[in-house]
Amino acid sequence: MWIMASIEVPAAPHHEDPRMTRTRAVLAMAASVLLISGNAQAATDLPLSSAIFRATHNSYSGNIDGARNSITYQLDHGVRFIELDVHDNGYATAHDYAIGHDSPGDQVDHSGNPASNLLRDWLDVIDTWSERHPTAAPLVVMLDLKDDLTDNPSFAAGNLAALNQELIEVFGPRLLRAEDYPASTPQLDSLRGRVLALLSGNGKSRAEYRRDIGRDPAIAINANGQIVEVHDSGSGVLWYWTGRYDDGRVTWLRHGRYDNGRTPAVALNDNGDVVEVHQSQNATTLWSRVGRLGADGEISWSASRQYDNGVLPTVAFTDPAGTRLREIHRSQSNSQNWTWDGLLNGGTSTVTWSGNAKTSDAHFDKTTSARGTSSVRVWTGADGPTPAQTLRVDTDRVTGDRIGYPQIAFDEFQKGDAAELQQGALFYAAPAGESAFITSARRAGRLVRGWDFDSANQATTPLANHPATNHPYASWYENLLTQSGAVQ
């Protein structure tokens, strides 16, 4: 669609040659037609936060509830904001998420769209279109999380790490990761051909995507820069993070639940063998567990084994080969410390404990670990509005980073959300009728979505960047977006 601009033609100088006057008019006309929505760089060289885009609400519903047609049709007709509602039901079987409104398949229009409800199939359609249109305006793919992904105990069960991986695999280098978004607002044309993933929906999942919380954290690093962190959820469930030390920072790879208990500690050798010890959840028995850390960051755990009674266990490898261990804990009945010697059998993923005795030695510092010049320290503390139990990590070069998922997707802040979701948020959203929220966020330089935008009288000044409608081809919507200079 062409967007014409009114360009004033300077008056011709007195006695100007008529041919020059005609030339001046032609040049003015040529300048006006440069203002097209799709490809004219001069016309769209504006900050991303100032741009208006065609957007659909519940894009997957096609013509079932509204009049959108297929995803490809929407993209071909200028829509640059696509919403997919996502469920995690059946992930362990399908190894993928499912599309649908209230449940997988609900209100999904398969006409012209994938025959399946699998998220990857729908993302592939968007990726194929994006690949074929490298000059298109940046495309936002919003995933409205209809289920709580925080109760998925592992990558294999479809936690947020699995969602990150799917986005990376589908969109590849076209994906503009939230963690790579420039500090200053970029120009729209610099982002042409890029895809931005956006998380909406379940607030608990959106919060955990940006940080994790826990108690009694412990950490270990080996000479290869591999890292394992363990902690108690606060309710007796034990979780781990694995990561990689990269140039002074930690890149977190996998996250999972591995046992029940409290006060965990962990040791890690250079072969990737993990030895964890913890106290039982509601008693004073002590348990150990052995795991194997893979190159992808996943840990394969053996069964837990009780080795003693006591509280506050700590553990460390004591030899360069990483086969001998020492464990120190406190008696469950007094302040006496006790120790065990351990021998790791990596082949069977077991530890043989022996030499139990009293000791005057202090516990190992389970919150700090170092190899060579690389060191890490784990602790809990609020980061602005986040909870006091937010898991944090220091290295020998950086202090105070959050432990959590790499920020591949952007995280949406909605009217009524907690303050921690507003912190640093680029994308804001509210129902289209919330005009005060929308205009305030727009004036603050945010990218704003107004959903269920189904009437011209819902338009605000300034208009939401993404007025997400169920009727994108209605004349009132086309006229409003044209008049607003929507870009493609």
Side-chain angles (χ1 to χ4, degrees):
M1 179 175 295
W2 296 87
I3 298 177
M4 302 297 292
S6 175
I7 298 181
E8 183 178 353
V9 181
H14 190 54
H15 303 309
E16 181 178 63
D17 187 325
R19 290 173 297 178
M20 182 60 72
T21 301
R22 287 194 297 272
T23 300
R24 184 187 298 273
V26 169
L27 289 174
M29 180 66 73
S32 71
V33 300
L34 280 175
L35 298 181
I36 61 174
S37 61
N39 296 312
Q41 176 140 354
T44 57
D45 191 18
L46 76 166
L48 178 65
S49 59
S50 299
I52 307 295
F53 304 88
R54 287 170 174 78
T56 49
H57 174 243
N58 292 344
S59 311
Y60 56 88
S61 287
N63 297 330
I64 289 179
D65 179 21
R68 308 170 193 82
N69 296 329
S70 70
I71 296 295
T72 298
Y73 187 95
Q74 292 174 49
L75 295 171
D76 283 342
H77 288 76
V79 172
R80 295 296 176 264
F81 185 103
I82 297 292
E83 175 188 347
L84 301 176
D85 289 357
V86 176
H87 300 263
D88 64 358
N89 305 359
Y91 187 96
T93 301
H95 307 296
D96 200 0
Y97 308 91
I99 299 297
H101 192 257
D102 291 333
S103 61
D106 179 46
Q107 297 187 22
V108 177
D109 190 347
H110 293 287
S111 179
N113 287 320
S116 83
N117 297 318
L118 295 180
L119 174 62
R120 186 180 291 263
D121 291 341
W122 290 71
L123 294 180
D124 281 341
V125 169
I126 298 170
D127 179 61
T128 297
W129 189 93
S130 177
E131 183 179 17
R132 293 173 179 172
H133 298 81
T135 63
L139 172 59
V140 176
V141 180
M142 191 193 82
L143 305 181
D144 189 343
L145 305 178
K146 294 298 187 180
D147 296 331
D148 181 2
L149 271 61
T150 68
D151 57 3
N152 297 342
S154 66
F155 182 95
N159 66 10
L160 288 160
L163 185 59
N164 266 351
Q165 187 64 29
E166 185 158 328
L167 292 169
I168 292 169
E169 289 176 356
V170 170
F171 295 114
R174 279 187 296 281
L175 185 66
L176 175 60
R177 304 182 182 205
E179 60 193 13
D180 294 333
Y181 190 80
S184 57
T185 301
Q187 298 299 104
L188 182 144
D189 281 337
S190 70
L191 300 180
R192 286 190 174 275
R194 306 300 295 274
V195 176
L196 287 68
L198 175 64
L199 299 186
S200 183
N202 185 267
K204 189 175 179 181
S205 299
R206 285 185 288 131
E208 186 170 291
Y209 188 73
R210 301 186 64 187
R211 53 89 182 127
D212 194 14
I213 57 176
R215 300 177 186 274
D216 290 315
I219 198 165
I221 185 173
N222 67 16
N224 302 315
Q226 294 175 299
I227 293 171
V228 175
E229 183 273 346
V230 294
H231 64 270
D232 172 7
S233 67
S235 59
V237 178
L238 298 176
W239 294 81
Y240 69 88
W241 283 96
T242 66
R244 182 179 62 246
Y245 181 97
D246 285 324
D247 195 27
R249 289 190 178 273
V250 179
T251 300
W252 298 101
L253 302 173
R254 295 290 175 89
H255 178 47
R257 185 173 67 206
Y258 70 94
D259 213 329
N260 294 320
R262 52 195 174 115
T263 64
V266 67
L268 174 66
N269 69 17
D270 295 343
N271 296 320
D273 295 306
V274 182
V275 177
E276 181 271 353
V277 294
H278 64 268
Q279 182 181 337
S280 57
Q281 181 178 355
N282 298 312
T284 56
T285 54
L286 297 177
W287 299 75
S288 68
R289 193 164 196 168
V290 178
R292 180 72 179 182
L293 177 60
D296 60 359
E298 198 59 76
I299 299 178
S300 301
W301 293 99
S302 66
S304 292
R305 299 171 183 269
Q306 183 182 352
Y307 66 93
D308 203 352
N309 293 291
V311 297
L312 304 175
T314 60
V315 66
F317 282 104
T318 58
D319 68 322
T323 58
R324 297 190 177 278
L325 297 131
R326 190 180 182 203
E327 185 272 354
I328 301 175
H329 66 270
R330 195 181 74 195
S331 168
Q332 70 273 26
S333 56
N334 54 51
S335 61
Q336 177 64 54
N337 282 351
W338 291 78
T339 185
W340 284 92
D341 293 323
L343 182 64
L344 171 68
N345 185 326
T348 60
S349 293
T350 58
V351 173
T352 301
W353 298 104
S354 62
N356 183 219
K358 294 180 179 179
T359 181
S360 59
D361 293 342
H363 291 82
F364 295 112
D365 180 3
K366 69 175 189 177
T367 64
T368 302
S369 183
R371 285 295 176 93
T373 60
S374 302
S375 65
V376 288
R377 182 178 78 93
V378 66
W379 51 288
T380 58
D383 185 11
T386 70
Q389 290 75 40
T390 300
L391 294 167
R392 313 285 294 277
V393 65
D394 299 338
T395 73
D396 50 285
R397 303 189 201 179
V398 177
T399 61
D401 274 357
R402 299 181 188 182
I403 296 176
Y405 297 102
Q407 298 298 282
I408 304 302
F410 293 83
D411 215 343
E412 187 176 69
F413 169 70
Q414 297 183 4
K415 178 177 171 59
D417 278 343
E420 64 172 314
L421 283 169
Q422 185 176 15
Q423 184 185 35
L426 173 65
F427 287 88
Y428 279 46
E434 295 285 351
S435 58
F437 179 88
I438 290 171
T439 55
S440 176
R442 282 284 279 117
R443 289 168 181 160
R446 305 298 190 267
L447 290 169
V448 187
R449 172 176 70 104
W451 71 80
D452 275 336
F453 187 87
D454 288 332
S455 171
N457 62 21
Q458 292 177 312
T460 54
T461 304
L463 185 65
N465 304 87
H466 303 111
T469 185
N470 299 295
H471 302 278
Y473 318 116
S475 58
W476 68 264
Y477 188 79
E478 290 279 15
N479 291 337
L480 177 63
L481 271 289
T482 299
Q483 293 165 9
S484 301
V487 295
Q488 297 183 35

